Amino acid sequence: MLQRPRGTADVLDPKEAERWQWLESTARRVCARAGFSEVRTPTFEATELFARTSGESSDVVQKEMYTFQDQGGRALTLRPESTASVVRAYQEAKLSGVHKFYYLQAHFRYERPQKGRLREHHQFGCEILGTDAPLADAELIGAAWTFLSEAGLGDLMVSLNSIGDPNCRPAYRQALQAYYRPHQAELCTDCQRRLEDNPLRLLDCKQDGCQALKTGAPKSRQYLCSACQEHFREVLRLLDQVGIRHQFDDLLVRGLDYYTRTVFAISHAALGAQSDVCGGGRYDQLSEAIGGEPLPGVGFGLGLERLLISLGESDRVAQPVRLYLAVTSEQMQGPALALAMELRRSGLTVEVELARRSLKAQFRRADKEGFSHVGVFGPDEMASGALTVRDLLAGKESRHPTTELANILRTGAPAL
Ligand SMILES: [Zn+2]
Ligand SMILES: [Zn+2]
């Protein structure tokens, strides 16, 4: 029997499908309120788009891309991330001015599959294009913060750093190279290569030998030019002003070459060591790397598989209300369907018994299939217009007029 490829997943369980839909609709709601509109880009792009933006020396380009040649001999790559595609799309459509986009897309990276990190994984991300104002950094970080809060993650903390721009970065690169060169033998093989191509990435390495060296490394903040310093100060001041908890982390860098100035990560205290749930930064030179006009931008991305695991562990995912309408006899199936249709029109998720099972078997099915509530519909209920509903999670029963049922089950209270 053939199986799905390693590092991919099926969503088959109705409860899991609902968790995905709930998380995606939370993202869409937060974005709509803040004026981000959805962007959808092609699943594959020219390989060069990612090679030029992520950096030839990045792990993504070196080891993780799904690259293939099509029948016409073009080098194509399944997108490993979306920022480069969004910038390309903006430029290709000849947009101008400030635009705010969000995406919910699958990304593909050939890496060792682990819990919450798949070869095909899904990301929610936002991008603000067309401005280098610190206010855009603050609004963007605010959007990620609001989403994570509304998804139910508490104890959030933004860590951030500034890694400078083409004006001041060269001096910082040289300082890093000068610091690391005498220790070259202690570095992992990846970092020995990175030392020449992109020494900032040495600060990001998780290998023990490289980790030990990074505390003594020169810090980017000491090398920022006055424009970058001013930009960063303003971002920090705005985050204070909007009440987003943050801390300065002078060892924070990001794995892709296109980042400039602000880089950040958002962590969630309850997750412990591997606690980053979101990462992003500013990428003011990305557009020029693909041959476009200068276009400043700032964005974040967050992996939804990992977030669902975090939410599952903290047990904060809203339980969707699903009512199973059991019937006392076959004659009651028609009236039960009429009630179900009425409740569905009021926004409730309802299923009715379609087979002719015993009441006991119907209860078993409701329990097994993860319904939150079950109600028994018989001649008494039809005559009285009231239904006794059992909350399967709380193990409690209550009786309500059918006209108020949708409201009571969805909000826990009758409509005023
Ligand atoms: Zn290393
Ligand atoms: Zn600078």
Side-chain angles (χ1 to χ4, degrees):
M1 192 11 224
L2 285 175
Q3 295 190 326
R4 63 173 189 264
R6 190 166 143 78
T8 62
D10 298 310
V11 176
L12 208 61
D13 172 17
K15 272 178 116 171
E16 198 194 343
E18 275 195 54
R19 278 160 58 89
W20 274 98
Q21 290 172 2
W22 168 80
L23 198 58
E24 288 164 358
S25 63
T26 303
R28 291 184 195 283
R29 189 180 65 235
V30 167
C31 285
R33 288 195 314 234
F36 288 84
S37 65
E38 185 181 11
V39 57
R40 300 186 190 203
T41 63
T43 306
F44 55 84
E45 298 264 10
T47 301
E48 230 191 319
L49 176 68
F50 306 113
R52 286 212 225 161
T53 54
S54 295
E56 292 282 1
S57 68
S58 64
D59 282 356
V60 170
V61 173
Q62 290 267 330
K63 311 179 207 169
E64 297 173 357
M65 294 206 305
Y66 279 92
T67 295
F68 60 98
Q69 208 175 59
D70 73 2
Q71 302 292 335
R74 299 169 192 88
L76 300 172
T77 295
L78 300 183
R79 61 172 174 246
E81 58 105 30
S82 286
T83 303
S85 301
V86 175
V87 170
R88 179 206 46 72
Y90 177 108
Q91 297 293 32
E92 201 167 326
K94 299 191 163 44
L95 300 182
S96 60
V98 179
H99 286 261
K100 292 157 70 177
F101 293 111
Y102 79 90
Y103 58 82
L104 282 161
Q105 296 197 141
H107 294 162
F108 307 85
R109 289 191 192 187
Y110 189 79
E111 50 186 350
R112 197 169 59 81
Q114 39 188 311
K115 202 179 170 203
R117 186 168 296 194
L118 298 177
R119 288 179 175 171
E120 178 182 11
H121 70 279
H122 297 80
Q123 274 198 23
F124 161 51
C126 288
E127 315 282 351
I128 302 182
L129 299 174
T131 171
D132 63 1
L135 191 63
D137 302 45
E139 170 155 41
L140 191 280
I141 293 171
W145 180 275
T146 305
F147 167 72
L148 289 169
S149 308
E150 292 201 10
L153 273 199
D155 296 328
L156 297 172
M157 173 63 84
V158 179
S159 301
L160 68 174
N161 191 14
S162 175
I163 55 172
D165 64 359
N167 188 23
C168 51
R169 181 105 53 95
Y172 180 49
R173 280 178 59 118
Q174 279 173 12
L176 281 171
Q177 285 169 332
Y179 167 77
Y180 277 108
R181 277 212 184 97
H183 301 286
Q184 206 156 354
E186 300 154 55
L187 297 171
C188 70
T189 48
D190 280 339
C191 282
Q192 295 190 3
R193 176 170 49 78
R194 289 169 186 150
L195 183 53
E196 297 313 315
D197 301 329
N198 186 354
L200 264 74
R201 310 249 343 273
L202 270 70
L203 300 173
D204 212 15
C205 184
K206 304 286 180 282
Q207 301 286 329
D208 289 345
C210 309
Q211 282 270 348
L213 284 169
K214 79 178 188 184
T215 39
K219 310 295 187 277
S220 63
R221 186 137 85 157
Q222 295 154 350
Y223 293 85
L224 295 182
C225 64
S226 58
C228 287
Q229 273 179 28
E230 181 50 38
H231 191 276
F232 192 48
R233 255 201 303 272
E234 187 62 9
V235 172
L236 297 175
R237 192 185 67 80
L238 287 164
L239 290 179
D240 272 335
Q241 220 162 45
V242 296
I244 288 179
R245 200 160 48 242
H246 59 277
Q247 63 189 12
F248 173 58
D249 177 356
D250 57 8
L251 290 171
L252 183 72
V253 293
R254 302 213 58 83
L256 304 178
D257 282 3
Y258 55 59
Y259 285 109
T260 50
R261 293 191 166 170
T262 315
V263 291
F264 68 92
I266 304 182
S267 60
H268 158 55
L271 276 182
Q274 247 216 340
S275 65
D276 284 355
V277 287
C278 171
R282 182 160 275 292
Y283 45 84
D284 296 344
Q285 266 70 48
L286 191 154
S287 175
E288 286 143 279
I290 59 170
E293 293 292 307
L295 176 68
V298 60
F300 74 78
L302 58 93
L304 297 179
E305 279 86 357
R306 279 211 52 200
L307 183 57
L308 279 173
I309 292 170
S310 317
L311 291 169
E313 281 162 4
S314 64
D315 201 23
R316 288 187 198 174
V317 175
Q319 279 291 342
V321 171
R322 296 169 68 221
L323 174 67
Y324 184 80
L325 218 46
V327 289
T328 53
S329 68
E330 207 185 317
Q331 289 73 35
M332 297 314 299
Q333 282 184 321
L337 181 60
L339 174 61
M341 289 175 70
E342 190 189 314
L343 291 172
R344 286 169 186 164
R345 277 194 294 274
S346 313
L348 203 65
T349 303
V350 189
E351 282 204 45
V352 287
E353 170 66 10
L354 289 178
R356 296 166 190 171
R357 274 177 285 216
S358 70
L359 208 49
K360 208 171 145 193
Q362 293 181 57
F363 268 88
R364 261 205 310 274
R365 180 190 160 196
D367 197 40
K368 201 170 129 218
E369 294 185 10
F371 283 87
S372 62
H373 295 79
V374 63
V376 180
F377 193 74
D380 285 354
E381 283 72 22
M382 199 165 85
S384 66
L387 190 74
T388 300
V389 173
R390 184 168 181 80
D391 182 333
L392 293 172
L393 302 167
K396 283 187 294 204
E397 277 190 2
S398 52
R399 193 170 174 84
H400 308 284
T402 53
T403 49
E404 286 175 26
L405 203 56
N407 251 305
I408 291 171
L409 295 191
R410 276 189 323 187
T411 65
L416 293 172

